[in-house]
Amino acid sequence: TEDEIILFEKEMKEFWTKLKSIYGTEQISHTLALRDSCKESIKVLSEKWTKKLKEEDLMIDKIQEFSNEIVQQSKRISENQKHLTEIKSNLNQEEEQKKELIESIRELKEELMKKKEMVSSRASVMKERVERLCKSKELFEERLGLEIRRVHNEQLQFIFRNIDHKDPDKPYMFTLSINKQGDYEVTSCTPPLDCIAEFQLKVRETNKFSVFIANIRKAFTALSYK
């Protein structure tokens, strides 16, 4: 370093001062020449090493700068990797949700198709039974004095006359529908009959509708004598 060089020069001066007191002028001149040569060599060497040290300092600064840049890049890569991992996780969740949604839609479609088939089947059964009842209209009217009317909500109203011998025109009636299960169901009865629930259950079991109508007429007849 420069401090060491200054110290070295100081020691050299002290050395030459002592040397002059011991040796003669010629010897001293020769020694001085050697000294100057040595000083020049030292100066050149010092300049060379000073330059080299400065280059090394610059190199160290560049290495440090490059190292800092690597650290920053590593940090960015780590952050990007974390972000990519989150994106991948979100994509996997969305894909799973998509599969679940597709499966739910498929199940809903199947359920809807089943319900449509059930509704269609029930409608077909109801339509068939109503048509069958309407076809029996003339027979019932002729033999039992029965009038059949189609009322709201696809219900049929059965009106009996010639039951009360005191008042042949007095109507005895009940209204019949077909429920969601496809079974006969009495929705109203005038005058009310205690046995109507029993008759309703029996026609569901036997599907003998003419017997059902005949039993109700007999019950109305019996009620007219009370």
Side-chain angles (χ1 to χ4, degrees), residues 102-120 122:
I102 292 174
E103 181 64 20
S104 297
I105 291 174
R106 185 189 63 81
E107 292 177 354
L108 287 174
K109 285 183 176 180
E110 290 181 355
E111 184 177 354
L112 181 61
M113 289 299 295
K114 289 180 180 178
K115 287 184 177 180
K116 284 183 177 180
E117 291 175 358
M118 290 176 62
V119 170
S120 177
R122 289 172 182 171

Side-chain angles (χ1 to χ4, degrees), residues 79-93:
E79 291 175 351
N80 290 337
Q81 185 66 35
K82 182 180 179 181
H83 185 58
L84 288 173
T85 301
E86 291 176 353
I87 291 175
K88 184 178 180 181
S89 176
N90 291 335
L91 288 174
N92 289 337
Q93 291 179 0

